[in-house]
Amino acid sequence: MRKKTLWKAKLVVTVEGHRKSGEIHTVSVFDNRTNEYWPEERIQERGISWFLNLGDMRETLNWNLNGDDSKYQFKWGRTAKGISEGRAYIFD
């Protein structure tokens, strides 16, 4: 299997995870095809604002954004004061 290159993702979804509640919410969605961030209204329309856990997030993002689940990637980044930032990469 070829190594997936993250810059080829059609969408990059930035999320924040709250350690105490375990909830995850979408901060932004960047569309690599148009080089634009989605407005909050579009994020809400797609039903990708809040997630119960990482499994729910993966399933919801791939289903609602027509992503290929086998190519999905997620990486946690920085953490401060109990809030972690992460990025999900959605591929065709």
Side-chain angles (χ1 to χ4, degrees):
M1 188 162 133
R2 269 186 1 197
K3 181 174 170 69
K4 299 173 198 105
T5 51
L6 300 179
W7 63 272
K8 289 185 177 182
K10 71 177 179 176
L11 299 168
V12 179
V13 181
T14 302
V15 298
E16 284 185 349
H18 299 268
R19 185 171 290 167
K20 287 187 178 183
S21 68
E23 292 180 332
I24 302 169
H25 76 90
T26 301
V27 175
S28 67
V29 177
F30 183 77
D31 191 331
N32 277 327
R33 300 165 297 182
T34 61
N35 248 6
E36 295 178 345
Y37 283 95
W38 285 10
E40 183 64 31
E41 297 81 29
R42 187 166 182 190
I43 293 170
Q44 290 177 4
E45 285 172 6
R46 289 295 196 124
I48 57 169
S49 295
W50 289 93
F51 313 100
L52 299 174
N53 54 44
L54 288 175
D56 177 47
M57 182 177 74
R58 178 182 185 139
E59 186 176 326
T60 302
L61 288 176
N62 281 304
W63 181 263
N64 292 2
L65 301 176
N66 301 316
D68 182 345
D69 189 45
S70 68
K71 296 180 181 178
Y72 173 89
Q73 287 194 23
F74 179 76
K75 299 193 183 286
W76 283 115
R78 61 189 171 109
T79 300
K81 298 183 180 180
I83 299 174
S84 298
E85 181 180 274
R87 288 202 169 74
Y89 300 88
I90 310 300
F91 296 86
D92 280 329

